[in-house]
Amino acid sequence: MTEPRTAIGRLRAELAALGVHEAYEIGDGATLSVWIGLVVSFRDGLYRWREGAVKCRHLGTDPVGCATRVARRYAELRAEVPPWWEELAKVLRGDAAQEYP
């Protein structure tokens, strides 16, 4: 298993422990989609997560801390869906997504 794949696997397990079960690996072994528009990747020893134009980094040796930050933002997004979500959902998933993130 490669370092990015291992790091993403650890992060996914930590997110699941925090109740974020919707996260899935997108197929490149280094990127995890947590919610539409909220994506975490692992590169150069760092977790890099972004939400739209906002970009954050977290040490790759701390999947628990990264999962906590990402899970917190995930909960905020779910509680108050941002205005850009509807348009992004249509582009990425088509009209069938409607209100389901």
Side-chain angles (χ1 to χ4, degrees), residues 5 24-31:
R5 190 175 302 274
Y24 61 92
E25 198 268 316
I26 66 166
D28 65 357
T31 308

Side-chain angles (χ1 to χ4, degrees), residues 13-78:
E14 294 298 335
L15 285 168
L18 294 170
V20 180
H21 301 286
E22 295 85 358
Y24 61 92
E25 198 268 316
I26 66 166
D28 65 357
T31 308
L32 191 67
S33 178
V34 180
W35 196 65
I36 192 165
L38 179 58
V39 179
V40 182
S41 61
F42 184 85
R43 188 177 77 233
D44 301 327
L46 294 170
Y47 289 107
R48 301 167 189 271
W49 58 282
R50 66 185 182 280
E51 170 212 334
V54 176
K55 296 180 181 179
C56 299
R57 296 187 306 180
H58 198 92
L59 289 176
T61 56
D62 183 21
V64 174
C66 183
T68 301
R69 291 177 69 195
V70 171
R72 185 179 312 126
R73 185 60 186 141
Y74 170 80
E76 291 169 355
L77 288 168
R78 297 285 299 208

